[in-house]
Amino acid sequence: MADRSRIELALGPCLFNWPADRLLDFYKRIAAEAPVDRVYLGEVVCGKRMPFNDPVWPEAIEALTRAGKEAVLSTLAQPVNKREREILRQQASYDLPIEINDMSMVPACSGRSFTAGPFLNIYNEASLGFLAGRGAVSWCPPVELPLESIQKIAALVPDVETELFAFGRLPLALSSRCYHARAHGLRKDACQFICDRDPDGMDVATLDGRRFLAANGIQTLSDACHFAGLAAGHLTAIGVRRLRLSPHSVDMVAVSGLFRRFLDGLIDAGELEAELEDLNLPGPLCNAYLTGEPGWKKTAIRF
Amino acid sequence: MTSMTDNRMELVCPAGTPAALRAAADAGADAIYCGFADETNARNFPGLNFSPEELAAGVVHAHKRGAKVLVAVNTFARAGDIRLWQNAVDTAAACGADAVIAADIAVLDHAASRHPDLRLHLSVQAAANTPEAIRFYTETFGVKRVVLPRVLSVPEIAALNREIDVETEVFVFGGLCVMTEGRCSLSSYATGKSPNLTGVCSPPDHVDYAEDEAGRMKARLGGFTIDCFENGEPAGYPTLCKGRFSALGRTGYLFEDPVSLNAFELLEDLAKAGVRALKIEGRQRGKAYIAGVVGAFRKAVDGLSGGADASAAIAALKAMSEGGQQTTGSYKKTWR
């Protein structure tokens, strides 16, 4: 019983264009030191990055698996060309747990189990129930979905494990245009991969200097760093089985250690927040998507 | 309608009010799309959209003019309240709608299982842009037409059409989402409301204008300055992705200039690419706008099959575009 209610930790896929050696070092350290149960990895944002980071995954998966962590292949959120579609087709047949982030993958994954990622538009119990019938065993809701809705869905589709996006800049939008290239006066087809200059995304501020968003190639994220400071009992009551921590250049071993200690009741919500703020976060903390308010705000979460 | 040849593209026009529906039908729309006055459609703005009675009357009027009526039930159903979205589909069918436009699996599943004879179109909000995604929707729910997200160039649309066996519809005029439709939560980040959650983007009840010390007007959304205008300069509406921001020490339109889409020059290419229907955005627009735009595009489509040249009529639309600037958007690869 106690084990069943233990909230697990997952590390989400790295959304940023980190060089291959940095990625490999990162996953080796996560394997050796981070108290996470599951690690999603793979290129999710831009297919153009794949030739650079593809060689990393087999070794990273091996290191993580050897360390007793479940490695899950997370897949491209917006496939466009033939090459990307072919990659998705191949990935669906790998003997490896998989997370799908585009409906393109549903037919190829039919008959096998998969995680429904946060880039899929699953906003209610009927759409999650439908995907459960196609093999979804776990889902991470879209980041804007409030806890009230997540709780209803989790209660009505109890066979699918619910994983809450719990740390990191919020992935807010995808486009076919590359904003990194545009900001640098380049085009997507000749982007020079300049998104590698911003390991946490490119800061975007308003004209009066207020921090606002972060660009990451074709993706736009929040400037603020979302966190779900919900205690284990609270999460269990909502139906959440696992928290997802999204990788940033901040020490993710420290971040995952703080969440583990918080979930185990060794520190309280105030201490979690204070200790996170002491780290080199990509932006100020926010959490108000959880209560259905504007996502950038920080609010008291009552339950 | 009976005179339509197989390769003539259908002109699909917006209506936010019964008056706009009549204006579109009278101006030569082949089909008119509209939605109910609630959060089931992606233009959930105050004072817009149809009651069931208005829709039923609108269907009668449109059918008399030879136009179809397509009902958008194209937001994502709220958890625990799916009945509202299912009812919208049921009502559309009861009103005699020619098709329902939907994006949510929950809504598509309900329509396909309860109304097998009702034609289903896949909304742009579903963001299906690969043959695999499109086949998923056509094979699972019997979708007959897919409205393509604005991420593809014309050659890519042509290649896509060669791989799928379903009609495609593309946007040709009006407001332009810079982000992939249905995959954007920027609006809720600033305001708590978004297309997927509540059917609105950059909602007016979260907009305010404030003068700064230098007399410039700040246009704000949810308290964030989206653009700033010099004294005397007309202050535009703060649509989040069309604002000016600062990055890398420079300021500018980071995502997109305040432009709107006009793909008139590409109509022939779109026809050759196998596109079946052309869509005009603007359910929030008044009947004069609808009449002008629909009339011009009626001429443009007819011009492709030997009708009069429509360039002058299309050029006259420029004054109606947001900021007076136009783009062909993602249809040309260089936009990316």
Side-chain angles (χ1 to χ4, degrees), chain B residues 81-94:
Chain B
D81 288 320
I82 293 174
R83 199 60 226 150
L84 179 66
W85 278 258
Q86 294 175 335
N87 284 342
V89 173
D90 299 345
T91 307

Side-chain angles (χ1 to χ4, degrees), chain B residues 247-264:
Chain B
L248 305 171
R250 292 189 296 272
T251 62
Y253 297 106
L254 185 83
F255 302 111
E256 177 60 300
D257 301 344
V259 296
S260 66
L261 177 70
N262 184 355
F264 165 67

Side-chain angles (χ1 to χ4, degrees), chain A residues 64-170:
Chain A
L64 291 162
T65 309
R66 222 183 310 121
K69 308 197 185 301
E70 184 183 22
V72 180
L73 182 63
S74 193
T75 55
L76 205 55
Q78 188 173 277
V80 270
N81 59 39
K82 269 205 156 121
R83 181 180 58 83
E84 291 164 4
R85 289 166 46 211
E86 175 59 20
I87 289 168
L88 291 188
R89 198 187 61 75
Q90 289 173 10
Q91 288 175 334
S93 65
Y94 291 166
D95 183 23
L96 194 66
I98 196 165
E99 169 171 81
I100 70 171
N101 290 308
D102 186 72
M103 291 297 179
S104 293
M105 287 291 265
V106 175
C109 288
S110 250
R112 63 161 295 172
S113 60
F114 61 86
T115 293
F119 297 93
L120 294 183
N121 284 335
I122 304 300
Y123 282 82
N124 52 60
E125 62 275 18
S127 44
L128 184 62
F130 179 92
L131 284 188
R134 297 293 178 114
V137 291
S138 174
W139 76 301
C140 181
V143 293
E144 66 175 358
L145 196 63
L147 287 177
E148 192 188 352
S149 295
I150 293 171
Q151 181 169 20
K152 284 179 186 160
I153 298 168
L156 291 166
V157 195
D159 293 343
V160 178
E161 290 184 347
T162 299
E163 178 176 310
L164 183 68
F165 188 94
F167 175 82
R169 281 181 157 175
L170 295 155

